[in-house]
Amino acid sequence: MIDFLQLAVQGIALGGIYALIALGFVIVYKATQVINFAQGELVLLGAYLVYAFNQTALPFVASVALAAVVMAGIGWAIERTILRRMVGRPVFAVVMITIGLAIVVRQLVAAVWGFEDRLLGEPWAASRIQLGDLGVNVTSVVTIATTGVLLLLFFVFFRFTRAGIGMRATAIDQEAALAVGIPVRGVFAQAWMIAGAIATIAGVLLVAFPATLHPAVGFTALRAFPAAIVGGLDSPGGAVIGGVLVGLVEVLVQGYQPQVAPWLGNNFHVAAAYLLMIVVLVVRPYGLFGTRVVERV
Amino acid sequence: MNGPRSRRAAPSPLAALPVLRRIDGLRTSYADELALIRGAGGWAALAALAALYVATPLVIDDFWLSVLNFTAIAAIAAIGLNLLTGFTGQVSLGHAFFIGLGAYTAGYLGGDLRLPVIVWLPAAGIIGAAVGLLVGPFALRLRGLYLAIVTLGLVFLGEHVFLNLRQITGGPQGRAVPAPMIGEINLADLGTSLGLPLTREQSFFLFVVPLVALAAIAAKNIVRSRPGRAFQAIRDREIAAAIIGVDRARYKVGAFAVSSFYAAAAGALYGSYLRYITPGQFDLLPSIQYVAMIIVGGIGTVYGSIAGAFFLVLIPRVVEALSPAIPFVSRSATSSGLTLFVLNQLIFGALIVFFLVFEPSGLAGIWSRLRTYVKTWPFSY
Amino acid sequence: MRAKRSVVFLVIGLLVLGACRAAPSEAPSPTVAAIKTGVGVEGLTIKLAEITPLTGTVAIIGKPLTRGHEVYFKYVNDVLGGIGKNLPKEQRYKVELVTVDSQYLPDVHVQQYNAVKDKVLAIAQSLGTPQTKAILQQIRSDKILTAAASLSADWFKETYVVPNGAPYIAQIANALQYLKDKGVQPKLGLIYQDDDYGAEGTAGIDYAAKALGFTVVARASYKPTDTEFTAQVNTMKQAGADHVILTTTPTPSGRILGAAAALQYAPRWIGNSPAWIGALVGTKDKPSPLVPYMQQNLWVVTDQGCGWANTGPGCEGSKLMQENMAKFAPDQTPDYYFEFGYVQAMGLHAILEKAVEMRDLTRDGLVKAFEATKSVDTAGIRKKLGYGATCQEKVGVTGSTTSTADLVRWSRADHSSALDAHLRRSGGPADRSRCRDAARRAAGRSSGAAHRLPTDADRARESDLRARSRSPACESHGHAARRGPLRRRRRGHGRGVRLDPRGRRELHHARAEDQLRPAVLERNAHGDGKSGEGRQDRRPHRMRRDRL
């Protein structure tokens, strides 16, 4: 039982990280209908910026905040310079551009900081909370707490703030949103800025103890795709629920499948996450909480 | 209505020569419209291509020949992907899975069962098509980016299978794939088999380019016939296509099957050229590269796929060849910071981005604009 | 048709006549003591190729390895004067390295091989097992000697491939032999990466456990992109493994050890050489909290010899290596792969010297020299480096040294890094002598200045910021003013838009016009009866609201 609880807690923590990365996908998709394949590299860049600022005299929280601001700026810059020109073009061309951007960012990070592993140096490193027989890293607790807080913030944002409502309106119909005076371009920029800021937080939690920071961290973001899809590509709540679900499934399968069903092969948990995604999509083609697209003839 | 009749009433002086009858550019019959080779220009181009085919291995050195070989293999896979994504509108990020499937099938059939290449090459394609038939029904349920991510999942599932089915795939250590043999003759190394003065690269080039031509002609035939029109109808207006009687299910699944056939055949050739494959070679990166190929080359055209393959396989080597001319960049292999090698990758990623920003219809778009300009000159405005 | 065919043949004929393939450059006949030279030797320069990943994630291996080659051959060129110790100094051969980036992709590797194969005498480095296997056929047919920087055991069977270093199998076997010699009966576990590197781990543990009579109670694998390792550690813990072998890379090692510390599970961890990197201990100011745990429980198996820490008697090679590194590559920090490359270069040096001695610097001559070189003296960096023609002779390096991480002192070294790790040796099976005075092993990255934990002032500042963003000053009254005087401000400002005046909160998809309410259609019908086009919209705001 304790094992199950231990795995479950770790699964929820992992799901929290997936949820944070998926939130970045979802925000950009919701506003602009584009999947940002560069989100993993934004996570990477955010983590490296936090590391860089942390190496100076800034306190950790300030470096995170500063890095988030810088990443928001970078997101704004990407939207302004490159994606602004692609309005009206086929969606997949835009997705390819984000892929090209991902390659560029990855190389830049490696050029500036090299390929070696580094430690982030967060202040809560290695502290462990002991709840009876359950030992949990503080990082996991911080992850779960951050995901919850961010989910709440997003709920408030989309429900009660003008900017959030504007974003929802833009997601439904850009022309109509323009017609009522919502600055659609501003909404796009906002979406990318939020995605950049979230990427920083996700990056910090992804490489916090006991992990290390190195340029391949961006590939882990690919593992958050099933989370974004299961929840529905345009639902932030769905991203969190999908993330937690995928994280739980991964860790539990990792823990139990070698004993229960070894014929499924090694490391079935990665495939299990994608299988879960496919099963959910077969049942609900737009994800659990995604908006169904009504097609006109 | 008067058009064709009035044209026949006043034939152009060029109509005297039979081969030049169609040079005026007007299509006077349905056969003309569908023709693969039009007029003297078409035949001249064909002759030039044939000459190029024979001349290239004799003129170009082994390094560029090996690059061209990889380009040819990628072109076959890209044509398949274009049939699926460009002509039918079903975005697929799972192409690398089918390529890996073809490569492992070639390894098993050619290596373990020792079949000749004329058996394992089509067999790999057929097995790929069979698996594509299984994947196709997902396209009936999912749209757009959701379908793309499901095919992405296919890549990861496929990698899992490749890693764990050790008897056939050799597990994480990979397996050897035999050269294309017919009996004792190694088609990729005719130099040693037949005693000709050919290197391995030259030999493989002579073997693989006719296959590319075959693949391109087959694709073109599909496109200009009934299934191709059905594909394009599904891409353009799916519901309208259903209304006029196009069987969406059949053609969507069929598109997956055909593209998987191409991908698996390309994978078989790839494995046979590399002679050794591991599961890690068929992950997300090649999938993305193939999508980049068809987008940069031109979605919805067959020759665009080939151009895109050239762009993506050749350009990195060209950049490497030219970048020593860039000043202020460290040429040392091992210094940190911005070395020449990192710059090569950077330039390549940036090229994709700039190309797509400024030319979203790809190389085929540039080519067709150029052709229109030349054809309508001096009225090219 | 016939005309076209003959035209084509004519063109072919012309092109064949004008064929201009570059012939491989033949070196001019040597002027010195009749040493036969071939492709890759131009005058007194020997060219060697390095096909290695210089970008991408595997560059952390490729770059230091190549640096090791560069530093050693620079030493040979500048200090020793070149290859040929029995030749007068002006007749010695200088080594030039041709480096190309393979990006760790097999197809790029093949292309780069084709780019360099006609320019070089031998391939000094071909990194990656699948990559080298992709060019294996061509190596055999081109008869070009290749030093594979890959620890696959298959290279021992190849005539043209120079193996290097103990395969990971040997590392595991040696570690287990050491346990047996100490009289321990371990319950073995294995955590391995799901690729060909991990496959070496499974092969090693299977072979060694069977040979020594140990039992493997648990195995778990992981994917390189995994971030959660609780399940694997749990598996080990459940099975009661007390010695767990880690065939991993540094990041997963860190995570595994962290997960184990959280689960309070402390077996003896035995890591293969790639499982360790200096950054895992952190820096002087921010040491990793896992350091005590690692000191107590972690062993790392490396190749046997003096390594970095020992530069005393019997380890002159290591001292020389560090001097050369300081001279020719001052920004290089001590790195396992640098040492690996350096030793590999020493082996190549020995083969080249033998070839000069046998007066044959062609490719065939190099192969014969390789078979004739029985052992290489690395002056202590490695215990034994052996080559030869048969599998038994081509031992390469198979002795291993197990080291524990023991961090004793923090102080600034001459390098820019700030952490010293003190490696205490616990010798391998063939070498019982202990190196007593372990010097410092500077491992780690740039030091950071001390940073303070967030104080209450910081926290207060943060909450203040958050509160401020909610204040009414943020409401944009200007927004309404911009929209023009005729437009009413939306009701229920900030509490959700009400698009339907009847109070329902549905947001319908504007594109699905079948969802339009009948009321609007009726209004349209009325409007059509009244006047023609351009009916004046005398109720702008209500209309607008309804239309949405």
Side-chain angles (χ1 to χ4, degrees):
Chain A
M1 191 56 198
I2 282 299
D3 295 336
F4 178 76
L5 274 180
Q6 182 82 50
L7 288 174
V9 169
Q10 292 304 124
I12 295 180
L14 178 65
I17 295 184
Y18 285 168
L20 287 173
I21 303 176
L23 271 173
F25 284 125
V26 160
I27 286 289
V28 171
Y29 181 82
K30 198 175 167 74
T32 63
Q33 310 299 313
V34 165
I35 289 194
N36 173 23
F37 268 80
Q39 188 69 19
E41 265 57 36
L42 290 179
V43 167
L44 177 72
L45 188 56
Y48 267 98
L49 282 177
V50 172
Y51 168 79
F53 292 136
N54 205 16
Q55 298 298 112
T56 64
L58 285 173
F60 184 72
V61 178
S63 30
V64 172
L66 187 56
V69 168
V70 171
M71 283 305 297
I74 291 179
W76 177 85
I78 292 176
E79 195 275 329
R80 192 72 168 76
T81 52
I82 299 177
L83 293 163
R84 194 65 71 88
R85 297 174 202 273
M86 300 299 291
V87 171
R89 301 276 171 78
V91 157
F92 220 79
V94 186
V95 172
M96 273 317 301
I97 288 186
T98 58
I99 294 179
L101 271 175
I103 297 177
V104 170
V105 169
R106 200 179 307 143
Q107 297 304 321
L108 275 176
V109 164
V112 174
W113 282 287
F115 291 98
E116 304 87 19
D117 288 42
R118 296 159 198 279
L119 278 187
L120 188 64
E122 66 282 3
W124 66 74
S127 323
R128 199 174 65 240
I129 297 182
Q130 203 66 25
L131 308 161
D133 276 335
L134 209 59
V136 181
N137 272 322
V138 169
T139 306
S140 310
V141 173
V142 171
T143 311
I144 298 175
T146 312
T147 312
V149 164
L150 273 175
L151 179 60
L152 200 61
L153 281 178
F154 268 102
F155 175 72
V156 166
F157 174 72
F158 279 116
R159 194 72 195 266
F160 298 124
T161 66
R162 189 186 282 270
I165 295 166
M167 204 177 284
R168 276 162 69 198
T170 313
I172 292 172
D173 190 323
Q174 287 176 9
E175 270 189 68
L178 269 172
V180 282
I182 296 172
V184 168
R185 287 203 196 125
V187 165
F188 287 0
Q190 274 168 27
W192 276 87
M193 285 166 66
I194 296 175
I198 293 185
T200 318
I201 301 178
V204 165
L205 292 169
L206 191 56
V207 301
F209 178 84
T212 51
L213 177 63
H214 59 284
V217 158
F219 291 116
T220 308
L222 281 181
R223 303 271 294 263
F225 258 124
I229 298 284
V230 161
L233 268 176
D234 53 357
S235 161
V240 172
I241 294 181
V244 171
L245 196 59
V246 167
L248 262 178
V249 163
E250 267 197 28
V251 174
L252 288 175
V253 166
Q254 224 179 348
Y256 291 114
Q257 176 258 332
Q259 285 99 30
V260 170
W263 51 269
L264 282 171
N266 279 334
N267 293 313
F268 183 62
H269 57 280
V270 181
Y274 280 95
L275 268 180
L276 171 72
M277 177 186 86
I278 290 177
V279 164
V280 167
L281 281 181
V282 163
V283 174
R284 302 195 40 122
Y286 294 97
L288 288 173
F289 301 102
T291 326
R292 190 176 192 92
V293 172
V294 173
E295 192 168 333
R296 286 181 57 210
V297 176
Chain B
M1 286 312 275
N2 267 336
R5 231 181 290 261
S6 58
R7 284 216 36 80
R8 278 198 203 102
S12 99
L14 296 167
L17 289 162
V19 74
L20 296 177
R21 186 178 299 141
R22 299 190 201 117
I23 203 173
D24 295 321
L26 269 181
R27 316 272 187 259
T28 55
S29 71
Y30 199 47
D32 270 352
E33 173 70 29
L34 290 183
L36 280 177
I37 303 170
R38 282 194 200 97
W43 288 111
L46 188 65
L49 278 175
L52 213 61
Y53 163 62
V54 182
T56 309
L58 301 173
V59 169
I60 307 222
D61 68 355
D62 270 359
F63 167 59
W64 292 109
L65 264 184
S66 69
V67 177
L68 284 177
N69 286 336
F70 281 112
T71 306
I73 296 172
I76 298 179
I79 292 174
L81 187 61
N82 220 342
L83 281 174
L84 179 64
T85 299
F87 285 102
T88 321
Q90 312 295 308
V91 181
S92 165
L93 282 174
H95 223 53
F97 164 63
F98 293 108
I99 293 176
L101 185 66
Y104 278 108
T105 312
Y108 183 69
L109 293 177
D112 294 355
L113 300 184
R114 302 202 177 280
L115 299 170
V117 63
I118 46 176
V119 174
W120 59 248
L121 189 52
I126 290 172
I127 291 180
V131 177
L133 277 176
L134 293 175
V135 174
F138 282 104
L140 302 176
R141 186 108 171 106
L142 305 165
R143 295 273 152 77
L145 288 168
Y146 287 98
L147 179 63
I149 304 292
V150 163
T151 50
L152 179 67
L154 201 61
V155 170
F156 288 99
L157 286 173
E159 204 183 330
H160 179 75
V161 168
F162 294 152
L163 281 171
N164 287 293
L165 210 58
R166 276 159 214 269
Q167 274 78 25
I168 301 181
T169 66
Q173 281 162 317
R175 67 161 299 143
V177 180
M181 314 268 279
I182 300 185
E184 284 306 314
I185 304 177
N186 182 352
L187 290 177
D189 199 0
L190 290 170
T192 30
S193 300
L194 296 178
L196 299 171
L198 288 174
T199 65
R200 297 191 59 221
E201 314 300 330
Q202 291 171 316
S203 195
F204 194 82
F205 183 86
L206 293 173
F207 166 60
V208 84
V209 171
L211 293 175
V212 177
L214 193 64
I217 293 175
K220 202 76 172 107
N221 279 335
I222 293 176
V223 162
R224 63 185 182 146
S225 66
R226 195 193 186 96
R229 290 193 291 272
F231 290 162
Q232 292 172 74
I234 293 175
R235 173 195 64 195
D236 293 336
R237 274 273 191 267
E238 191 174 327
I239 297 181
I243 289 175
I244 62 168
V246 171
D247 188 344
R248 284 186 299 166
R250 176 172 164 195
Y251 285 111
K252 275 189 183 175
V253 174
F256 262 97
V258 167
S259 105
S260 314
F261 180 94
Y262 273 85
L269 288 170
Y270 177 74
S272 155
Y273 187 46
L274 271 186
R275 301 298 301 274
Y276 195 85
I277 48 177
T278 51
Q281 288 171 237
F282 305 111
D283 59 358
L284 184 58
L285 181 66
S287 270
I288 291 178
Q289 278 179 338
Y290 283 106
V291 176
M293 264 183 231
I294 62 170
I295 293 186
V296 166
I299 292 198
T301 59
V302 172
Y303 64 90
S305 327
I306 303 181
F310 266 92
F311 185 87
L312 248 93
V313 179
L314 207 57
I315 294 292
R317 303 285 89 78
V318 170
V319 167
E320 270 177 18
L322 295 178
S323 58
I326 301 176
F328 310 124
V329 169
S330 151
R331 252 160 272 299
S332 151
T334 49
S335 55
S336 52
L338 194 67
T339 61
L340 200 61
F341 306 95
V342 172
L343 190 66
N344 286 334
Q345 300 265 23
L346 255 177
I347 291 177
F348 181 58
L351 266 180
I352 292 186
V353 172
F354 284 129
F355 207 92
L356 288 172
V357 170
F358 294 112
E359 188 51 73
S361 37
L363 292 166
I366 296 180
W367 174 245
S368 74
R369 280 215 306 268
L370 205 61
R371 232 177 34 188
T372 318
Y373 186 91
V374 168
K375 257 201 225 170
T376 56
W377 190 83
F379 305 109
S380 310
Y381 53 83
Chain C
M1 195 58 195
R2 202 171 289 165
K4 183 187 81 115
R5 208 182 293 160
S6 54
V7 162
V8 169
F9 282 145
L10 190 61
V11 170
I12 295 171
L14 283 171
L15 285 165
V16 164
L17 285 176
C20 57
R21 273 175 73 79
S25 54
E26 283 296 333
S29 45
T31 55
V32 182
I35 295 185
K36 227 171 32 152
T37 57
V39 182
V41 182
E42 285 158 24
L44 285 179
T45 313
I46 298 178
K47 286 205 174 142
L48 300 176
E50 309 259 338
I51 313 177
T52 172
L54 296 169
T55 54
T57 48
V58 195
I60 46 168
I61 301 179
K63 282 172 84 152
L65 223 162
T66 314
R67 215 108 190 255
H69 284 204
E70 279 178 5
V71 164
Y72 183 75
F73 283 122
K74 243 202 203 134
Y75 160 74
V76 166
N77 286 346
D78 295 349
V79 175
L80 295 182
I83 310 262
K85 50 185 190 280
N86 297 326
L87 296 173
K89 226 175 185 178
E90 59 279 0
Q91 288 175 11
R92 293 186 188 164
Y93 291 87
K94 303 262 195 280
V95 172
E96 186 184 315
L97 295 176
V98 177
T99 316
V100 284
D101 180 12
S102 75
Q103 298 168 32
Y104 204 62
L105 294 172
D107 31 359
V108 180
H109 202 92
V110 168
Q111 293 168 21
Q112 302 291 20
Y113 170 80
N114 280 306
V116 297
K117 72 179 178 187
D118 288 327
K119 298 186 203 152
V120 297
L121 176 62
I123 298 183
Q125 186 196 158
S126 166
L127 197 147
T129 308
Q131 288 76 2
T132 314
K133 289 212 174 149
I135 57 173
L136 191 57
Q137 291 296 319
Q138 283 167 293
I139 290 174
R140 286 186 195 146
S141 56
D142 295 334
K143 300 197 174 41
I144 187 167
L145 193 69
T146 305
S150 114
L151 298 182
S152 167
D154 292 337
W155 307 130
F156 289 97
K157 296 180 274 192
E158 293 289 330
T159 324
Y160 296 100
V161 180
V162 180
N164 271 293
Y168 299 121
I169 298 176
Q171 284 183 352
I172 297 177
N174 289 334
L176 294 184
Q177 176 73 51
Y178 174 64
L179 287 178
K180 178 138 187 149
D181 293 340
K182 281 205 339 192
V184 177
Q185 189 70 19
K187 290 209 276 245
L188 292 173
L190 170 71
I191 301 185
Y192 62 101
Q193 188 158 296
D194 197 10
D195 59 7
D196 50 338
Y197 164 44
E200 298 272 310
T202 29
I205 207 176
D206 285 337
Y207 161 72
K210 198 159 73 130
L212 298 169
F214 294 155
T215 44
V216 182
V217 297
R219 284 165 220 253
S221 72
Y222 68 92
K223 291 209 96 68
T225 48
D226 270 352
T227 49
E228 263 307 315
F229 291 87
T230 313
Q232 284 90 343
V233 173
N234 217 19
T235 312
M236 300 291 132
K237 187 175 174 185
Q238 296 298 326
D242 50 23
H243 287 75
V244 181
I245 300 198
L246 287 175
T247 309
T248 60
T249 49
T251 298
S253 308
R255 290 189 204 242
I256 290 171
L257 295 172
L263 288 176
Q264 293 178 306
Y265 169 59
R268 165 69 58 199
W269 297 102
I270 304 176
N272 281 114
S273 44
W276 172 258
I277 200 174
L280 280 176
V281 297
T283 59
K284 170 190 167 185
D285 299 307
K286 289 184 214 137
S288 164
L290 270 184
V291 161
Y293 183 83
M294 287 196 285
Q295 280 177 270
Q296 201 147 0
N297 300 307
L298 178 63
W299 284 355
V300 176
V301 186
T302 56
D303 296 329
Q304 194 174 36
C306 296
W308 291 94
N310 197 4
T311 50
C315 292
E316 292 86 5
S318 174
K319 184 153 175 282
L320 183 61
M321 174 173 76
Q322 296 185 47
E323 280 169 13
N324 286 333
M325 189 174 89
K327 197 174 4 167
F328 297 118
D331 54 333
Q332 174 73 41
T333 48
D335 185 296
Y336 171 77
Y337 296 107
F338 178 87
E339 187 195 355
F340 185 93
Y342 192 90
V343 170
Q344 197 181 33
M346 289 176 98
L348 283 171
H349 184 202
I351 297 174
L352 286 169
E353 285 282 353
K354 194 77 179 180
V356 168
E357 200 184 297
M358 289 164 54
R359 295 260 176 268
D360 192 350
L361 268 179
T362 58
R363 287 187 179 166
D364 292 329
L366 216 59
V367 174
K368 289 200 214 95
F370 171 49
E371 290 170 7
T373 308
K374 291 304 176 194
S375 77
V376 180
D377 178 18
T378 58
I381 307 184
R382 286 282 182 272
K383 198 64 189 170
K384 180 176 160 66
L385 190 62
Y387 295 131
T390 62
C391 201
Q392 283 71 25
E393 289 177 313
K394 258 190 287 196
V395 140
V397 175
T398 52
S400 307
T401 303
T402 319
S403 319
T404 56
D406 178 12
L407 301 108
V408 173
R409 278 194 303 269
W410 312 99
S411 61
R412 280 192 181 279
D414 296 336
H415 305 287
S416 55
S417 58
L419 171 76
D420 308 333
H422 193 181
L423 279 176
R424 214 190 292 126
R425 313 206 125 250
S426 45
D431 168 30
R432 294 311 170 95
S433 64
R434 293 172 173 274
C435 303
R436 292 266 156 208
D437 311 300
R440 308 218 212 108
R441 177 181 190 262
R445 299 298 161 249
S446 56
S447 66
H451 83 277
R452 49 195 175 81
L453 295 171
T455 61
D456 289 326
D458 298 334
R459 286 197 208 100
R461 212 185 313 142
E462 226 197 327
S463 57
D464 189 32
L465 274 172
R466 244 185 252 130
R468 235 185 286 145
S469 65
R470 282 273 139 255
S471 76
C474 289
E475 303 282 56
S476 47
H477 292 287
H479 193 64
R482 236 188 313 123
R483 280 189 298 163
L486 287 179
R487 298 170 67 157
R488 263 196 281 154
R489 213 176 299 160
R490 287 191 305 239
R491 273 185 292 155
H493 174 78
R495 273 193 285 113
V497 175
R498 280 206 240 135
L499 300 182
D500 183 346
R502 269 172 264 181
R504 277 178 296 171
R505 283 179 171 272
E506 309 155 9
L507 303 173
H508 61 266
H509 200 295
R511 279 199 289 160
E513 272 145 31
D514 54 331
Q515 295 181 31
L516 271 180
R517 290 181 306 283
V520 181
L521 291 173
E522 280 166 21
R523 205 169 288 127
N524 268 341
H526 284 303
D528 285 342
K530 268 197 195 155
S531 60
E533 267 188 285
R535 183 177 83 88
Q536 291 294 333
D537 187 1
R538 278 184 237 111
R539 297 169 303 167
H541 4 282
R542 260 184 73 193
M543 189 68 124
R544 199 151 308 201
R545 205 176 60 210
D546 289 342
R547 273 276 155 85
L548 287 175

